[in-house]
Amino acid sequence: MKHTKVRDLLNSTTTLQEVNAKGWVRTFRNNQFIALNDGSTINNIQCVVDFENTPEETLKRITTGASVSVIGTLVESKGAGQKYEIQVNKLEILGDSDAEKFPMQPKKHSLEFLRENAHLRVRTNAFGAIMRVRSVLSYAVHKYFQDKGFVYVNTPIITGADAEGAGEMFQVTSLPLDNLPKNEEGNIDFKQDFFGKHTNLTVSGQLEGETFAMALGQIYTFGPTFRAENSNTSRHLAEFWMIEPEVAFNDLDDNMDLAEDFIQYVIKYALDNCKDDLAFLEGRLLEEEKSKPQADRSEMSLLEKLNFVLENNFKRVSYTEAIDILRDSTPNKKKKFSYLINEWGADLQSEHERYLVEKHFKCPVILYDYPANIKAFYMRLNDNTEPGRETVRAMDILFPGIGEIVGGSEREERYDVLVQKMEALGIDKEELYWYLDTRRFGSATHAGFGLGFERLVLFVTGMTNIRDVIPFPRTPGSAEF
Ligand code: ATP
Ligand code: MN
């Protein structure tokens, strides 16, 4: 007999004579009621065991965490909270779970404890919900771009470029670390390395993505990205997933339109397709907020926050306007910021971004036209900027509670301007000859952005630490599992 998923049983339109369900025991009450979960939904199905006719030995083995198979009748439930339950005729223990030793006890665990048990935390309601939402969101990402005719590109994970310009890199080598070959100058001889050169894990697929956009028109990447930055924050991972669309003939305004439409689409998709999980996560957040002082609590519930983003346009603000707002802000005047904003040209810290989004505008913000010298080399220099106040066609999207969720730009399509910029910054033109070729042969205006997938999952699930929205987080000092 084939087993049926709990989700389908709970969504059944009729009672059924004989059904088989398989899953893991969440709780076993009164020697009679099993709450069975199989991961297909946050909801458990109640299985009512005929304890009088079940051997004591078997009853003892129905413990939290054990896997079981039940065969029985799907009947209308007399208990509150569920439409159907299974009246069990036959019960088989598939895998025992020692109740004393199973770490996921049916009680509230701290997120820190759960992180240390990342291989088991997915058996909890919260992590089951988060991981299902994550899965649905990643489907929505592909659906959005595929429906619009974008081509999905798998850019390399091992890169030969040393200067992708997005962050510190992890090196990849097969050389023996305890006996590195040296060249005549006494430096490590990477000619003897696996690829015959120095290689790294990618920090971004953008540069390769651009070459594809200049042939296929509209492309996107969605893959793992690695940054060896030692930022031990609740927003940074050493291994994260990034979505990077790149579109030929798009300028910065088109780029902002695309990013806004895309983010709204995937959030809407999750709202429509993850109702039970989001309802649970909304309740979880509400509970968590209760332990905070009133002033720190969010004014909106999770679903209100998500709907707010769908119903309101993102506020588009130039860097220069943002600096004026920040300079005149109360925390700046009262010296509450760790980095005070005095002059145009200052790099914005997350405290400033959060002030703009959470206190000043109270909605998602797109900041654009940043000073050229705080942004990457490939961003397009604005025409008509004052000398000494050069700006580039960059954009960052800032979200409440998250900070930067998207970083993007219109790219510098002019060969001479790009080369000049690379020379000024000491970026090796020979190494990036292939990137420069896009500007040498049939160059065109184009633009794109990178969205950190985990930051999106953070926002949609209402979680606050990025380590809780990726299955097995990699952070400084931690690569367990
Ligand atoms: P931040 O200032 O937050 O470190 P960044 O400016 O380094 O971000 P980009 O290089 O523009 O970010 O990368 C594009 C997007 O990738 C960011 O907007 C963010 O959503 C995400 N991102 C960047 N670094 C990380 C990281 N270490 N962990 C998770 N997501 C990240
Ligand atoms: Mn960074």
Side-chain angles (χ1 to χ4, degrees):
M1 177 173 195
K2 258 196 154 113
H3 72 276
T4 309
K5 286 200 292 282
V6 168
R7 188 176 65 173
D8 296 339
L9 292 173
L10 292 174
N11 286 337
S12 175
T13 47
T14 64
T15 56
L16 295 165
Q17 264 320 308
E18 187 163 77
V19 297
N20 177 206
K22 292 182 180 177
W24 294 269
V25 175
R26 282 292 169 79
T27 56
F28 185 41
R29 268 190 312 120
N30 295 352
N31 233 6
Q32 193 176 11
F33 303 109
I34 302 176
L36 190 72
N37 190 283
D38 71 351
S40 61
T41 156
I42 186 131
N43 301 305
N44 304 323
I45 193 156
Q46 174 157 286
C47 307
V48 186
V49 179
D50 177 7
F51 62 97
E52 281 164 351
N53 295 307
T54 308
E56 189 60 32
E57 267 316 297
T58 310
L59 289 173
K60 271 201 210 128
R61 293 170 63 202
I62 308 174
T63 52
T64 297
S67 59
V68 300
S69 171
V70 298
I71 292 175
T73 321
L74 190 72
V75 298
E76 272 169 31
S77 175
K78 290 176 211 86
Q82 70 260 335
K83 192 169 156 212
Y84 292 117
E85 64 188 22
I86 299 174
Q87 210 75 57
V88 178
N89 300 324
K90 188 165 173 274
L91 181 138
E92 188 188 345
I93 310 283
L94 301 174
D96 288 285
S97 171
D98 186 334
E100 305 277 289
K101 295 191 181 131
F102 184 55
M104 301 293 113
Q105 295 292 325
K107 62 160 197 175
K108 201 170 159 47
H109 293 290
S110 74
L111 290 169
E112 291 74 20
F113 172 82
L114 292 170
R115 243 169 256 150
E116 286 164 15
N117 290 279
H119 60 305
L120 294 172
R121 67 177 177 175
V122 68
R123 295 208 197 174
T124 64
N125 282 332
F127 283 88
I130 293 163
M131 294 307 156
R132 277 186 299 269
V133 171
R134 183 183 165 106
S135 165
V136 168
L137 278 171
S138 80
Y139 177 70
V141 167
H142 284 293
K143 182 159 169 54
Y144 177 84
F145 288 119
Q146 296 284 334
D147 285 353
K148 284 195 160 4
F150 281 63
V151 177
Y152 177 41
V153 183
N154 302 117
T155 49
I157 289 171
I158 298 175
T159 170
D162 263 326
E164 287 171 342
E168 294 295 309
M169 302 178 103
F170 287 102
Q171 305 177 47
V172 175
T173 182
S174 63
L175 291 175
L177 294 179
D178 51 359
N179 184 21
L180 291 166
K182 299 280 166 70
N183 57 23
E184 277 156 24
E185 290 97 65
N187 299 321
I188 297 167
D189 186 9
F190 286 107
K191 287 211 176 69
Q192 295 187 43
D193 202 349
F194 190 91
F195 298 106
K197 66 183 296 197
H198 187 222
T199 52
N200 294 299
L201 291 180
T202 183
V203 290
S204 156
Q206 180 201 318
L207 303 188
E208 290 92 346
E210 282 185 51
T211 69
F212 267 55
M214 297 313 280
L216 300 172
Q218 321 178 83
I219 65 99
Y220 71 105
T221 72
F222 185 1
T225 311
F226 308 86
R227 297 198 182 170
E229 46 196 10
N230 207 349
S231 26
N232 231 324
T233 77
S234 57
R235 306 278 177 268
H236 290 89
L237 291 163
E239 176 181 294
F240 65 99
W241 287 66
M242 187 144 66
I243 297 140
E244 295 183 278
E246 190 71 38
V247 183
F249 316 115
N250 262 13
D251 64 16
L252 190 68
D253 290 319
D254 302 323
N255 205 31
M256 293 189 208
D257 293 343
L258 176 67
E260 184 168 342
D261 188 55
F262 165 63
I263 293 174
Q264 289 178 330
Y265 176 91
V266 294
I267 292 177
K268 174 87 168 52
Y269 195 90
L271 278 168
D272 290 345
N273 292 280
C274 304
K275 289 203 167 73
D276 290 352
D277 286 325
L278 290 177
F280 174 85
L281 291 167
E282 167 158 278
R284 197 205 75 87
L285 191 61
L286 225 58
E287 245 345 274
E288 191 181 83
E289 297 252 303
K290 279 189 196 155
S291 63
K292 291 187 189 164
Q294 192 75 44
D296 296 350
R297 290 185 202 166
S298 160
E299 287 162 30
M300 283 187 247
S301 76
L302 179 60
L303 295 181
E304 283 169 343
K305 258 187 353 195
L306 298 179
N307 279 304
F308 181 86
V309 170
L310 300 189
E311 286 154 14
N312 293 279
N313 291 334
F314 298 3
K315 180 84 185 158
R316 302 183 185 191
V317 186
S318 74
Y319 167 89
T320 303
E321 291 169 82
I323 284 291
D324 288 341
I325 293 165
L326 289 166
R327 198 170 21 208
D328 296 339
S329 70
T330 314
N332 202 53
K333 287 186 180 150
K334 293 196 166 159
K335 301 197 167 20
K336 288 272 158 55
F337 285 141
S338 314
Y339 295 87
L340 295 179
I341 298 287
N342 297 314
E343 293 183 43
W344 191 94
D347 203 353
L348 300 183
Q349 307 295 326
S350 72
E351 57 180 346
H352 308 126
E353 297 177 346
R354 295 188 77 149
Y355 174 82
L356 290 169
V357 174
E358 287 158 27
K359 296 281 176 333
H360 190 84
F361 291 109
K362 296 184 190 288
C363 73
V365 172
I366 310 184
L367 286 185
Y368 64 92
D369 283 354
Y370 281 78
N373 59 7
I374 59 171
K375 287 289 179 185
F377 74 95
Y378 49 72
M379 298 186 177
R380 194 187 194 283
L381 191 63
N382 264 304
D383 303 322
N384 318 317
T385 51
E386 290 171 50
R389 272 207 173 202
E390 286 85 4
T391 56
V392 285
R393 304 245 73 194
M395 63 173 213
D396 278 3
I397 301 185
L398 313 177
F399 256 50
I402 306 288
E404 182 187 327
I405 190 163
V406 161
S409 67
E410 186 179 319
R411 317 306 188 188
E412 183 55 76
E413 84 286 8
R414 296 163 296 183
Y415 179 80
D416 296 339
V417 182
L418 185 59
V419 165
Q420 234 174 38
K421 187 70 178 277
M422 289 170 74
E423 282 171 350
L425 293 173
I427 295 168
D428 194 337
K429 284 177 301 182
E430 273 73 60
E431 194 191 312
L432 287 180
Y433 76 93
W434 53 272
Y435 183 65
L436 285 167
D437 272 358
T438 54
R439 275 61 169 179
R440 225 182 260 131
F441 308 114
S443 188
T445 297
H446 62 290
F449 60 84
L451 176 138
F453 185 54
E454 284 74 21
R455 294 199 187 168
L456 174 72
V457 184
L458 264 184
F459 184 73
V460 174
T461 58
M463 299 301 289
T464 47
N465 192 319
I466 199 161
R467 294 168 171 88
D468 297 329
V469 297
I470 189 163
F472 298 101
R474 269 82 183 91
T475 52
S478 164
E480 193 63 34
F481 311 105

